[in-house]
Amino acid sequence: MTEPQLHPAGVEFLDVHRLRLVEGAAPRVPRDHQLARDRVWDEAVKANPGLFDGPVVACTGLDWDEPHSMVLHWAPVPYRHFALRWVPEAIALPPLFVAVVQPTDEGGLLVGRMSSSTATPDRWQLPGGSVEPPDDHHPLDETALRRHAARELVEETGIDTAPEDLTLLVVTRGEHGSIGILFRAPPQPAPVLRERFAALLSAEAALGRDPELREIAFVRFPAELANLSGPQVDYLNPLVRRYVTGMEGDLG
């Protein structure tokens, strides 16, 4: 089995070439923990009315069935489940998310700053989001994750990339044990990416809606991340460092 690479930020990069997902049930949450969780959630919604308690996917375990082949166990939970992190002695399952590494022809990576109405206001990250459970007629598999990543990319940036053009890049494990499935998109010219994002902002404004990303930037070196005002997702710095220090082939 390939050992994960642990970076100073505490983020693991797992070298996964094939991913299999297996559905299970979430552990039972004791009644007193549920009540405490709901109180934490209600306070969070008061502070940020944009929070939505929709169904999402949490990770219940990771296994390797052969080198570079991972089995990810998952269960559907309400988004408020993650408020258990702030309940003493309670156990919150790690969230599962997808993200897209969008390179430019010029060698940069696209990063976006979340809008104030999102669950992580002002945070810089890759385009992406929490994974939602599939409906009864479709399985949750690598193909479904690729479709979800492509949908997040176009919704947040206006970049319309076919799911089959996304390549599984790496799996990350970070803060709170969160599991990220990162896909790589084909490179595109930076001016084209800026134009599509500007068109998306105009369309959202015309509909009276806040965009999920308030701005985008392109970074080529980890030092450039220091020029971005606001918090950054934990995987961002080590990912950029890997990308620009000659490890692009290792990521793919």
Side-chain angles (χ1 to χ4, degrees):
M1 182 183 77
T2 302
E3 292 298 321
Q5 297 185 25
L6 186 62
H7 291 260
V11 179
E12 291 177 286
F13 285 74
L14 307 173
D15 186 16
V16 178
H17 298 173
R18 188 171 68 89
L19 185 63
R20 183 163 62 90
L21 292 96
V22 177
E23 183 179 4
R28 177 184 171 276
V29 178
R31 178 63 177 168
D32 57 334
H33 288 175
Q34 292 182 36
L35 295 174
R37 174 203 63 192
D38 292 345
R39 288 193 294 270
V40 171
W41 174 256
D42 290 342
E43 288 299 317
V45 171
K46 287 180 182 178
N48 183 357
L51 291 176
F52 175 63
D53 190 26
V56 292
V57 168
C59 177
T60 58
L62 295 177
D63 292 315
W64 298 88
D65 55 5
E66 58 184 71
H68 308 296
S69 180
M70 174 178 285
V71 181
L72 190 154
H73 301 268
W74 66 275
V77 296
Y79 191 82
R80 72 173 59 205
H81 171 87
F82 303 124
L84 287 169
R85 299 169 185 163
W86 292 278
V87 175
E89 300 182 3
I91 298 176
L93 295 172
L96 178 67
F97 68 90
V98 293
V100 178
V101 175
Q102 175 62 68
T104 70
D105 287 344
E106 300 80 9
L109 294 180
L110 184 152
V111 296
R113 189 179 188 186
M114 300 296 288
S115 296
S116 58
S117 59
T118 63
T120 53
D122 295 326
R123 189 177 74 179
W124 289 92
Q125 61 182 58
L126 298 177
S130 300
V131 175
E132 300 172 0
D135 58 37
D136 294 336
H137 304 291
H138 297 92
L140 182 61
D141 54 18
E142 188 177 323
T143 299
L145 293 178
R146 192 177 285 108
R147 287 196 302 266
H148 186 68
R151 185 171 67 249
E152 292 284 350
L153 182 64
V154 71
E155 289 178 354
E156 295 186 356
T157 68
I159 303 166
D160 192 3
T161 299
E164 56 269 23
D165 290 336
L166 298 179
T167 304
L168 179 61
L169 194 61
V170 70
V171 174
T172 65
R173 179 160 49 193
E175 186 179 16
H176 304 298
S178 62
I179 302 299
I181 313 300
L182 274 55
F183 294 94
R184 176 183 168 128
Q188 297 198 47
V192 171
L193 301 178
R194 290 190 185 278
E195 179 181 334
R196 292 179 181 174
F197 182 66
L200 174 67
L201 293 185
S202 296
E204 293 291 274
L207 295 172
R209 300 190 307 215
D210 287 334
E212 292 190 61
L213 297 181
R214 58 186 293 187
E215 62 179 303
I216 62 172
F218 300 104
V219 296
R220 296 186 61 183
F221 305 101
E224 294 177 342
L225 293 173
N227 298 326
L228 303 177
S229 61
Q232 299 173 16
V233 72
D234 56 355
Y235 64 75
L236 194 56
N237 186 289
L239 176 73
V240 173
R241 189 174 301 278
R242 281 168 60 94
Y243 187 85
V244 302
T245 54
M247 299 187 69
E248 182 179 356
D250 178 60
L251 275 171

